[in-house]
Amino acid sequence: MDPLSSLLSGIRAEGSVVSHAVLEAPWTIRFTDGAPLTMVSVLRGGGTLRLPDGTELAVRAGDTAVVRGPGTFHLADGPASFDRPHAEYEIACFTDSPECTAQDLGGIHWGNDPDAATALIVGAYRASGRRHERLLLGLPPVLVVSEDADVCDWLERAAVDAALRSAGSQALMDRLLDWALVCTLRAWFEQARSDAPHWYRGLADPILAPALHAFHAQPSRRWTVGALAAESGVSRALFAKRFTEIIGRPPLAYMTECRMDEAEALLSETDLAIARIARSVGYADAFGFSAAFKRHRGLSPSAFRTVTA
């Protein structure tokens, strides 16, 4: 599994649902889920996002914004609406609120002039375990990716169609949101270039990519720098130098960090024996794994499992 797929495996739209709103200015929306990630796609019109620290950012038709939680944030038709009389709404998808059920998608019209209004699709994402934490560390408080009108039209049609078909509508909307999040993050990583996380930049590098894919496909293998260099078809010295330049740390340090992250997830999300976890992350025995885990995390695997239970 590649790094992005692995990190996204811990964050899903599972049970989270979508609100499709058509709003007539002036208005503000308060987002109160405290979700790790919230995605707002502007299908028509536009508005102003205000983050918890007061930062404001304009979003227009075709923009998809992904906001990192858990703070409460707001969206308004424009910056002036925050300080003048306006209609106030709240979206909290992790409640039983009727504004956030897949069956109601496409049926929420706040205001009475849809042709001159802003249309949004909003999805909030739940997290399970700890796998998503490394992904969040690589993201800014908010990121925005722009799409053309055809994509927006397709997304709106797909969302409304899913809502109108009661059988399987929730599962369909969950998968639609998951797909949209992956596409948005990949597009942003491509645009971010030097600001993208080191591991993503490594996957885009023609020398490092083969080795990174090989390592993440078989993390239990007893990898050496020489073996990784062989996957990339370059010398050990060249590989180690380039790896440190692009990733920001030597190959062995990167592999250890990835293994410790995976071990944390397995310790907190499963009841697998520590010896089995050790083998799955590339250690020959539980003793060596336990020593490495304590050195890097400050707790033994058993103690870590206890405090995160």
Side-chain angles (χ1 to χ4, degrees), residues 218-293:
Q218 292 182 292
S220 60
R221 180 175 162 182
R222 303 288 295 278
W223 289 101
T224 64
V225 177
L228 290 172
E231 293 286 340
S232 293
V234 297
S235 70
R236 184 184 184 281
L238 174 60
F239 178 82
K241 181 176 183 294
R242 190 170 185 85
F243 195 101
T244 303
E245 289 174 349
I246 300 294
I247 303 295
R249 70 208 71 181
L252 293 180
Y254 173 83
M255 287 191 290
T256 298
E257 181 180 337
C258 291
R259 285 166 168 158
M260 294 300 104
D261 287 343
E262 179 64 13
E264 281 191 358
L266 292 174
L267 287 166
S268 59
E269 298 169 17
T270 75
D271 58 0
L272 292 174
I274 290 175
R276 184 172 175 184
I277 292 175
R279 291 192 297 273
S280 72
V281 297
Y283 288 83
D285 55 58
F287 179 79
F289 164 67
S290 296
F293 190 89

Side-chain angles (χ1 to χ4, degrees), residues 63 114 122 308:
D63 287 348
V122 177
T308 57

Side-chain angles (χ1 to χ4, degrees), residues 54-66:
T55 300
E56 293 185 355
L57 180 70
V59 288
R60 301 172 179 83
D63 287 348
T64 291
V66 177

Side-chain angles (χ1 to χ4, degrees), residues 33-51:
D33 277 315
L37 290 176
T38 302
M39 188 170 67
V40 181
S41 293
V42 183
L43 305 177
R44 298 189 300 278
T48 298
L49 277 170
R50 178 179 284 181
L51 302 183

